[in-house]
Amino acid sequence: MILPANDSGSVTWQSPSNIALVKYWGKIPVQIPQNPSISFTLSNAYTETSIQYRYDHMLKDGPHIDFRFEGQEKPAFAKRIKQFVATLISSFTWLSHCHLHIDSSNSFPHSSGIASSASAMSALALGLCDIAQKIEGKAWEEKRFLAKASDIARQGSGSASRSVYPHLAMWGLHKDLKESSNEYAIPYTKGFHPRFLTFHDDIMIISPKEKSVSSTVGHQLMENNPYASTRYAQANENLAAIIQAMQANDMDTFGRIVEEEAMTLHALMMASRPGYMLMEPNTIEAINSIRSFRAESNIPVYFTLDAGPNIHLLYPDDVSGEVQAFRESSLRTLCYNNTIIEDHVGKGPKKIS
Ligand code: PMV
């Protein structure tokens, strides 16, 4: 590869968050998942990241990074981003001769409790891969570009690997899916009933507080979790079963697995050494209410949880009228400041410039 003497420019990418249906929880270095996972890519909850770059072959000891979040300096974010980008020099050698000015903003409030690492790290990875093409004078075909961006995003935050694809993405080796990989996610909607591409995800903000135990620590605690090996086997089974359910339009099995995965994730936290709990009283109240409504009405509406107290209310578009009426009458008052962020399965990242 022959690099130019100098180059400069800027790129801007928007990349969405995602919500896992089968969860990634537990990893080995560096960011290799202990089990495969699958998620819906969202739409309205996204990060937009602009990167201005200046490459100068005379410059040493880079990358030199300036980072702003919504126009402000954010030392904690900046530190994580600098550490992450520094680890990419072995993939992108030009980075050590670069100045990067990175500006990032979220479409959702930072203090809403929505995990932003998936959207943030995927937007950054897409931008860096775009710059790589320019500086290295390459034009990867789309599939290769996205696999590379997914691989880079994974190294920043595991779940971010799945955000680079539209609709649904799976990440992590599975014996039945020969295209699957631990290094990058793949888009996965093969044979799925179209109903699953219409899913809503209403994110009920139960608490906007910073989590008492971060995901990084949560993953680490899986190393001594007495249920770890059973969990990894269950995730492999659930992944195969949820794919089959989405192909067969088997809503009941889909919903059973999605809720089992959410409950298992939080059960694993409670059973860690030391144990901890991220659900709040209103999380449980909402879960009970959703289950009662479903039992009485037979309407396919389910919940899932991230590593936090907030509820993701999942339902296909054809029942949105009934579910939204229930949501307004029974769920909204359980949310912090009555906040619910309405989202849905989306089309994946967008290049803005
Ligand atoms: O990507 P991380 O390290 O923040 O881990 C995310 C883990 C879960 O959100 C709980 C599950 C998942 O698969 O997204």
Side-chain angles (χ1 to χ4, degrees):
M1 172 188 5
I2 301 165
L3 297 176
N6 297 290
D7 195 4
S8 62
S10 78
V11 296
T12 301
W13 281 81
Q14 261 182 18
S15 189
S17 187
N18 68 72
I19 180 68
L21 306 170
V22 172
K23 311 284 182 184
Y24 146 61
W25 199 238
K27 61 180 169 184
I28 52 173
V30 178
Q31 221 89 271
I32 295 298
Q34 288 278 17
N35 65 259
S37 56
I38 188 165
S39 54
F40 279 142
T41 301
L42 299 180
S43 176
N44 299 336
Y46 63 81
T47 298
E48 182 169 313
T49 296
S50 298
I51 312 175
Q52 279 174 33
Y53 67 95
R54 189 166 63 76
Y55 169 82
D56 176 350
H57 75 295
M58 298 297 281
L59 189 76
K60 298 271 167 356
D61 311 323
H64 299 273
I65 299 176
D66 256 338
F67 176 78
R68 297 269 183 292
F69 180 74
E70 292 173 356
Q72 312 276 326
E73 287 189 19
K74 285 265 175 204
F77 286 10
K79 189 171 163 213
R80 182 163 175 194
I81 294 218
K82 283 179 189 173
Q83 278 171 349
F84 165 56
V85 178
T87 64
L88 301 176
I89 295 175
S90 53
S91 310
F92 297 143
T93 50
W94 47 266
L95 272 174
S96 55
H97 309 287
C98 248
H99 270 294
L100 301 176
H101 182 92
I102 305 174
D103 273 294
S104 217
S105 59
N106 288 343
S107 63
F108 47 90
H110 173 58
S111 57
S112 64
I114 295 189
S116 58
S117 65
S119 56
M121 289 299 177
S122 56
L124 181 61
L126 287 155
L128 290 172
C129 288
D130 207 359
I131 296 171
Q133 298 198 105
K134 291 175 203 282
I135 294 183
E136 296 177 14
K138 287 182 179 146
W140 288 312
E141 51 142 334
E142 195 188 8
K143 188 174 169 192
R144 179 120 188 264
F145 175 81
L146 293 176
K148 182 82 188 164
S150 176
D151 183 349
I152 299 289
R154 167 192 56 91
Q155 298 173 47
S157 164
S159 57
S161 65
R162 298 183 308 242
S163 272
V164 307
Y165 298 109
H167 311 307
L168 286 112
M170 73 87 53
W171 168 49
L173 274 176
H174 189 281
K175 67 175 177 38
D176 299 344
L177 299 167
K178 61 177 188 324
E179 343 57 305
S180 63
S181 167
N182 280 338
E183 268 88 49
Y184 52 85
I186 54 172
Y188 207 89
T189 52
K190 212 186 255 169
F192 286 6
H193 191 281
R195 218 175 166 198
F196 291 93
L197 306 189
T198 73
F199 255 74
H200 289 249
D201 177 5
D202 293 343
I203 309 167
M204 299 172 50
I205 307 302
I206 301 291
S207 166
K209 277 196 268 174
E210 187 115 340
K211 288 179 282 194
S212 55
V213 179
S214 68
S215 288
T216 310
V217 173
H219 285 291
Q220 269 165 19
L221 287 170
M222 281 302 283
E223 287 164 26
N224 291 318
N225 190 302
Y227 300 103
S229 57
T230 322
R231 159 59 191 159
Y232 303 141
Q234 175 203 34
N236 274 278
E237 280 164 27
N238 276 349
L239 189 105
I242 204 168
I243 286 176
Q244 262 178 29
M246 286 192 272
Q247 289 166 338
N249 192 19
D250 177 353
M251 241 349 135
D252 291 347
T253 302
F254 169 85
R256 179 190 57 72
I257 294 172
V258 165
E259 295 193 352
E260 179 181 298
E261 283 286 320
M263 291 306 220
T264 300
L265 172 68
H266 284 258
L268 288 165
M269 294 173 189
M270 291 182 227
S272 290
R273 294 171 173 165
Y276 61 104
M277 199 155 68
L278 298 181
M279 286 196 259
E280 298 277 340
N282 279 1
T283 312
I284 296 167
E285 183 93 27
I287 288 173
N288 289 338
S289 177
I290 294 161
R291 286 184 159 168
S292 308
F293 172 75
R294 184 173 68 233
E296 283 156 23
S297 65
N298 223 6
I299 288 171
V301 54
Y302 310 100
F303 68 85
T304 189
L305 303 161
D306 254 339
N310 300 328
I311 299 262
H312 290 250
L313 189 69
L314 302 175
Y315 50 95
D317 190 56
D318 52 63
V319 294
S320 57
E322 297 94 312
V323 174
Q324 288 167 8
F326 155 69
R327 180 191 75 194
E328 293 311 304
S329 64
S330 307
L331 299 178
R332 192 174 285 279
T333 54
L334 298 173
C335 301
Y336 171 82
N337 279 346
N338 295 330
T339 309
I340 297 179
I341 296 172
E342 293 182 39
D343 213 334
H344 55 85
V345 172
K347 298 196 180 99
K350 248 201 318 227
K351 180 170 173 158
I352 305 298
S353 66

